[in-house]
Structures are given as C-alpha cells and as structure tokens.
Amino acid sequence: MLRFAVIGHPVAHSLSPRIHAANFRALGIEAAYDAVDVASADLAAALRRFAADGLRGINVTVPHKVAVMDLVDRVDSAAAEAGAVNTVLFAPDGSTAGFNTDMAGFLHPLKSCGFPFAGAKVLVLGAGGASRAVVAACRAAGCASLTQANRTARPGMLQLGSEECLAAARAADLVVNATTVGLREGDPCVIDAGAFRAGQLVYDLIPVARETATLAAARAAGARTLDGLGMLAAQAAESFRIWTGRMADLSAMLSALDR
Ligand SMILES: NC(=O)c1ccc[n+]([C@@H]2O[C@H](COP(=O)([O-])OP(=O)(O)OC[C@H]3O[C@@H](n4cnc5c(N)ncnc54)[C@H](OP(=O)(O)O)[C@@H]3O)[C@@H](O)[C@H]2O)c1
C-alpha cells in the first residue's frame, strides 16, 4: 500500500488528507495519507523516520516549508525559486527530493479562467512563504509588472493599506491576497474595499469554502474572484503526479472540498 503524510505544526486543520483520500478513491488506489504534527526540533528525525518507514512522499506545511529545504538531497527549480518546499519525494534509491507545487497550483485556476498574464499588472498582498511562490509564478507567467505590499515594512514593498497600496490595487489587473487575513471567520477585507473595481480579478489564497470578506468586497465592486480551494486542489494534484507519475482526478479532489 502506498503511504503519504502531511507534516506541519499544527496540522490537524489540514484539508490535504481529505483531498488525497478523494483522489485515491476516484482512481481506485489503495493508499493512506495521514496528518502528522511535527515540531520544528523534530523535523530532521521525522524525515529520516518517514524514509525508513517506506513512505512514498509527504507534503510540508507551515512552519516547515523553508527549513525542509536544507534536509533534502536536492530541490527542483520551482522550490529554489520560491525558496520553499511543500512536497518531498522519498525515491527508491534512498535519496530525497524537494519540490514546490504551490506555483503550479496557483497558476492552474488562472489558466482555467483564461487570465491574460501578458501585459497584466499584478499586486501581491503579503510577504510570507506563499507570496514567494505567487511572485515567482506571476513572473514566470510573464506579467508586465508586479508590486508587493506587506503589513511589516520590507525593502522594495509598499505598506499594506497605505494610499500607494490602494492606488496599486485600483490599477492592478490581478490582486492576490497572500496574507493570512481571512483564515479566521470574521476577519475583515484585507484592504479598503473601495480599492476593488470591475474589470480586475481578485484571487484570495485563503483555502476555505466560505466566501472571505475580501472576496465578498471584490465581488460587490464588480471584480471577478477566485478562492483558494482551486489552488489547494491543484497543488495536491501536482504533488500526487510527482510521487506516482500519474495524473490525479482533480474534480474528485475539488469535490472533496465541498465548495
Ligand atoms: N490555497 C492554497 O493552496 C494555499 C497555499 C499556500 C498558502 N495559502 C494561504 O496563504 C496564506 C499565507 O500563507 P504563508 O505560508 O505565506 O504564511 P506566512 O509565511 O505566515 O505569511 C503570512 C503573511 O500574512 C501577513 N499577515 C499576517 N497577519 C496579518 C494581519 N493581521 N494583517 C495583515 N497581514 C497579515 C504577514 O505579514 P507580516 O510579515 O507583517 O507578519 C505575512 O505577509 C495563508 O492563509 C495560507 O493558508 C493557501
């Protein structure tokens, strides 16, 4: 039986076991996928244990995505570019390889809705691990310009919510919320709702079935919207492809999220 896991700290909230189980069922594969809470101090030992136990691969979530890069034998170009690993393959020869499927996962819903990257102005809100994959993906997809804004000041970035940030949001063809604002029910819109407009696409990475305040405000302003569930399913499908060489049943994975 194939065995997989997602590791994080905490990890109990992860939707990955549900998504992968739906895919295994749809494809008739006998496999197990567990959520395993691993504290940072135990990360290296946990990887050795998974390899010894014969797991085929794992997903890696907060807070281990950067630290795991130094614990695998090699990383692919997407992981190197994003500076983070969210998928590890335990190869039959005993070696370990790290991948980043967030880039492909982020782009998949944009490709599906035909978003034209050529000439597009992009504003990315947030400067954490997810934003790095988003920025790398938008650059690779050929956007015309990319602006980033964050709550905590960072060189070269705008202040989240500042006048310049709101002006950049109004000018943007694509606004991406890569902050954690919206994860908790009752969280507000990530920026002033008046910054959204018709003709733009607002993409909230928050992976929840309910509509976030950010997406509700964008929709009310006439913008098109994308939630984070499509990305979540697409990055899981890409992990499955890396581990098994097979295409996942993406629609089964999406249905498991009960949008
Ligand atoms: N849909 C998917 O498949 C998918 C995949 C990956 C991630 N995500 C989502 O993307 C989000 C970011 O993940 P991450 O891994 O990048 O997290 P992270 O590394 O912890 O970064 C968090 C970001 O959110 C900002 N932030 C936190 N609280 C804030 C607040 N109250 N107001 C404004 N900004 C705030 C942080 O700003 P500071 O620098 O100021 O702290 C930082 O930029 C999460 O919600 C995660 O669930 C979704």
Side-chain angles (χ1 to χ4, degrees):
M1 183 170 76
L2 290 173
R3 289 170 60 213
F4 307 94
V6 55
I7 63 165
H9 186 66
V11 77
H13 66 281
S14 173
L15 293 169
S16 293
R18 201 201 297 180
I19 301 173
H20 283 282
N23 178 52
F24 301 151
R25 260 195 314 277
L27 297 182
I29 294 175
E30 212 188 316
Y33 186 110
D34 298 315
V36 183
D37 198 305
V38 175
S40 294
D42 303 329
L43 184 58
L47 284 186
R48 286 195 296 272
R49 194 176 66 243
F50 290 138
D53 286 353
L55 267 72
R56 175 71 69 92
I58 56 170
N59 283 127
V60 181
T61 187
V62 178
H64 304 313
K65 286 185 180 187
V66 176
V68 84
M69 288 192 81
D70 294 330
L71 300 173
V72 292
D73 296 315
R74 58 187 183 281
V75 295
D76 78 334
S77 57
E81 208 167 335
V85 158
N86 76 337
T87 301
V88 174
L89 169 71
F90 298 106
D93 65 2
S95 68
T96 50
F99 302 83
N100 188 303
T101 66
D102 280 341
M103 279 174 69
F106 168 76
L107 288 176
H108 189 276
L110 288 167
K111 285 181 188 152
S112 298
C113 76
F115 179 75
F117 262 107
K121 295 192 188 97
V122 179
L123 173 66
V124 179
L125 307 173
S131 82
R132 280 203 293 271
V134 168
V135 167
C138 290
R139 293 222 164 99
C143 68
S145 72
L146 193 144
T147 307
Q148 214 172 341
N150 196 48
R151 175 181 62 173
T152 305
R154 301 274 178 104
M157 292 187 198
L158 301 177
Q159 177 74 47
L160 187 78
S162 68
E163 258 318 309
E164 293 106 308
C165 171
L166 300 182
R170 278 182 214 105
D173 302 298
L174 172 64
V175 179
V176 181
N177 176 31
T179 75
T180 50
V181 178
L183 264 185
R184 281 168 308 183
E185 211 155 353
D187 274 357
C189 180
V190 65
I191 51 171
D192 189 303
F196 297 131
R197 60 168 174 82
Q200 67 183 178
L201 179 61
V202 177
Y203 189 169
D204 194 343
L205 303 197
I206 299 294
V208 290
R210 68 181 149 74
E211 188 176 57
T212 61
T214 299
L215 290 187
R219 192 168 48 78
R224 289 192 299 153
T225 59
L226 278 178
D227 65 30
L229 296 185
M231 172 176 174
L232 191 66
Q235 60 82 25
E238 181 61 7
S239 294
F240 178 77
R241 192 192 61 75
I242 287 167
W243 293 327
T244 65
R246 293 181 60 173
M247 298 302 285
D249 187 327
L250 188 57
S251 60
M253 287 176 144
L254 265 174
S255 303
L257 293 169
D258 200 26
R259 195 190 247 124

